[in-house]
């Protein structure tokens, strides 16, 4: 067991800014530091391909996650599970959201997620026609939402209603 005074002296010698870098580098958090919940935990294997990124405090993004967007906003205290794939021109995720492992979200238009939303393992969120999910919405595991339909072949008399994209909005407090 490490001597508590030695640990305290070490952390005090680092200073607040260097202590945050030490937490990011080692994953070790001083047991007496009550502000550790404000530190973001982003696994080194995460790929974020985005020129305009805003990430709040206390955000956790787990291993293998890939995000591609022109603009990305992730609110405070969000958790993105491992092997999540998100890709859209604009992705916004509100505060206190949980995106579980193996979830896919994206398309040709914006993906907007409100606050306090939960997406179970393997959820599929299609935003080809634009997808907006308001606050306090929960998706079970492997749930799917589609904002476009492409079915049939025009040579064989495709019904135009079967080849459409429309904006989808899921209202608050839905599950």
């Amino acid at each position: 067991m490490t001597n508590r005074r030695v640990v305290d002296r070490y952390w005090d010698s680092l200073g607040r800014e260097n202590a945050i870098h030490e937490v990011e580098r080692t994953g070790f958090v001083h047991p007496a530091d009550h502000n550790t919940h404000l530190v973001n935990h982003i696994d080194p294997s995460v790929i974020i391909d985005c020129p305009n990124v805003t990430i709040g405090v206390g955000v956790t993004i787990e291993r293998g996650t890939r995000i591609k967007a022109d603009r990305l906003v992730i609110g405070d205290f969000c958790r993105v599970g491992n092997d999540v794939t998100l890709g859209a021109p604009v992705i916004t995720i509100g505060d206190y959201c949980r995106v579980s492992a193996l979830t896919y979200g994206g398309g040709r238009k914006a993906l907007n997620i409100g606050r306090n939303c939960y997406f179970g393992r393997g959820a599929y969120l299609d935003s080809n026609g634009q997808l907006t999910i308001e606050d306090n919405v929960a998706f079970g595991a492997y749930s799917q939402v589609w904002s476009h339909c492409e079915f049939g072949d025009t040579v064989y008399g495709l019904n135009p209603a079967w080849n459409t994209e429309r904006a989808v909005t899921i209202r608050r407090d839905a599950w």
Side-chain angles (χ1 to χ4, degrees), residues 59-63 65 67 74 78-82 84 86 93 97-101:
V59 173
T60 299
I61 303 177
E62 296 177 2
R63 68 177 166 74
T65 294
I67 302 173
I74 299 177
C78 290
R79 183 176 198 94
V80 180
N82 40 323
V84 170
L86 300 174
I93 301 174
C97 286
R98 167 72 188 228
V99 181
S100 297

Side-chain angles (χ1 to χ4, degrees), residues 24-89:
E24 291 172 348
R25 186 180 72 77
T26 64
F28 174 76
V29 176
H30 187 284
D33 189 353
H34 299 290
N35 292 322
T36 56
H37 66 285
L38 301 177
V39 177
N40 291 335
H41 300 280
I42 300 175
D43 190 89
S45 66
V46 170
I47 297 171
I48 299 176
D49 181 8
C50 181
N52 185 356
V53 178
T54 303
I55 296 179
V57 298
V59 173
T60 299
I61 303 177
E62 296 177 2
R63 68 177 166 74
T65 294
R66 295 166 304 283
I67 302 173
K68 181 170 177 53
D70 295 329
R71 194 180 95 186
L72 172 67
V73 178
I74 299 177
D76 298 338
F77 305 106
C78 290
R79 183 176 198 94
V80 180
N82 40 323
D83 300 313
V84 170
T85 301
L86 300 174

Side-chain angles (χ1 to χ4, degrees), residues 95-97 113-119 133-139 170-175:
D95 301 337
Y96 304 102
C97 286
I113 298 172
R115 293 175 305 209
N116 196 36
C117 293
Y118 173 82
F119 301 94
I133 299 169
E134 294 183 352
D135 299 344
N136 307 317
V137 174
F139 281 75
I170 298 177
R171 299 284 178 210
R172 62 179 310 161
D173 301 321
W175 52 274

Side-chain angles (χ1 to χ4, degrees), residues 7-24:
V7 171
D8 287 343
R9 259 186 273 137
Y10 170 70
W11 281 84
D12 290 343
S13 70
L14 289 175
R16 177 79 182 143
E17 196 63 34
N18 289 333
I20 290 173
H21 292 301
E22 185 70 6
V23 167
E24 291 172 348

